[in-house]
Amino acid sequence: MKVDGKDMRPIWFDRETKTVQVIDQRFLPHKLIIEDLNTVDDTIHAIKEMFVRGAPLIGATGALGVYISLVQAKNKGVDNDYLVSECTRLKGARPTAMNLFWGVDRVLAAAIKHEDYKDRVAAALDEALDIVEEEAVNCRKIGEYGLPIIEAISKKKKGKQVNILTHCNAGWLACIEYGTATAPIYTAFDRGINVHVWVDETRPLNQGSRLTAWELGKHGVNHTVITDNAGGHIMQHGMVDMVIVGTDRTTRAGDVANKIGTYLKALAARDNNIPFYVALPSSTFDWEITDGIADIPIEERDPDEIRYVQGLCNGKIEQVLVPPQDSQAANHAFDVTPARLVTGFITERGVCRATQKDILSLFPEKKIR
Ligand code: MRU
């Protein structure tokens, strides 16, 4: 996607210096800082501390992390036990996003097919870069498949503004290009449909007000930042036509883990008869589980993320304490929206209802035989 006229992705491989580089998203929108990932520890730190975040991007970073582990290991990289233990460390960086396990395991499998060290390194890099490109294509397809849903609403409203609510950041910063939840929005906007996005600020780390608002603004999409608690009210007043969110992990039966607060939006949408869509690439499905509430691990992060709010003050990024210093805080980072509250999934293979049967009709190779 373009930032001030320049093509930009949140992660890339610099072929000249042979370095993996990422945008450090912690300081957006106020500072655009680029970091190099040279070691497995750098990669784990970048994922844990959320320089990189969002399920598909975490997956791509983990995938490139396997390549980094091989480069760092030198000839020790032919030792399978060593490589597997580095991959286990990478997969431990964050617990909820399925893509991390998927990306790391896919590159590991491609690398260990080779005995020779140099072949291993080359195979790991090729596989990781394939993942990066595939996820970009998947997001573009999600945009194409989601477009008719927005077009239909626009037609029904006789071309009047289509109001879409989104939560967190499931845009290109969370993916590689286009985003998942934002892909249908960008596609509709680029085709001339009058779209407006309600952007949930998404406390505690404000991925909505910092990142989604920044992305949409850079692309020229009309948007308004709202508090996380405003969604129900604007839905009751006819100000929301549809909700689209991303997901960190979705079960084969359609239960959706996404940023904390997503479930409340789904409840409010159902109460107000507003369609609630989840956009995801197939790398986010966990094909092993059906019950999201019982089986999806929910990350609990540092309570200081709740206590302190970050922003720009006199040109400097500052953090300020909000509650009393000694109050306890609990930071549950994700919640699970049951499949029954989801109108449909928008995937790279098309749109389906949130039932196991319908999901498997798009992904028949995942049927248990
Ligand atoms: O904690 P984060 O910022 O990694 O959480 C991100 C989200 O919840 C996104 O909605 C999700 O990963 C989907 S990204 C396409």
Side-chain angles (χ1 to χ4, degrees), residues 4-5 51 92 122 158 206 212 217 230-231 266 280 284 295 323 343 347 355 368:
D4 302 331
F51 299 35
K158 299 193 171 39
N206 290 317
T212 305
L280 73 163
T284 307
D295 294 332
T343 307
T347 78
T355 66
I368 299 163

Side-chain angles (χ1 to χ4, degrees), residues 25 47 50 52-58 94 97 99 139 166-175 179-182 202 205 207 210-211 245-249 257-260 262 279-281 284 299 301 333-334:
Q25 300 189 20
I47 296 172
M50 295 171 65
V52 291
R53 28 76 42 212
L57 178 59
I58 294 173
R94 285 190 82 186
N99 308 56
C139 287
T166 193
H167 190 69
C168 196
N169 172 261
W172 66 263
L173 284 165
C175 305
T180 54
T182 53
T202 319
L205 294 180
Q207 289 94 326
R210 291 190 305 109
L211 306 176
V245 296
T247 164
D248 282 80
R249 192 188 295 223
N258 192 46
K259 182 53 57 192
I260 192 81
T262 302
L280 73 163
T284 307
E299 179 178 19
R301 294 185 59 85
F334 299 95

Side-chain angles (χ1 to χ4, degrees), residues 13-48:
F13 180 69
D14 184 325
R15 288 201 179 267
E16 263 177 41
T17 59
K18 295 197 185 325
T19 311
V20 176
Q21 296 189 296
V22 297
I23 298 178
D24 184 346
Q25 300 189 20
R26 295 172 305 165
F27 304 110
L28 286 175
H30 305 301
K31 279 191 180 157
L32 182 60
I33 294 176
I34 312 291
E35 292 285 351
D36 293 353
L37 305 182
N38 291 312
T39 64
V40 173
D41 284 347
D42 287 350
T43 312
I44 292 171
H45 181 70
I47 296 172
K48 262 194 177 134

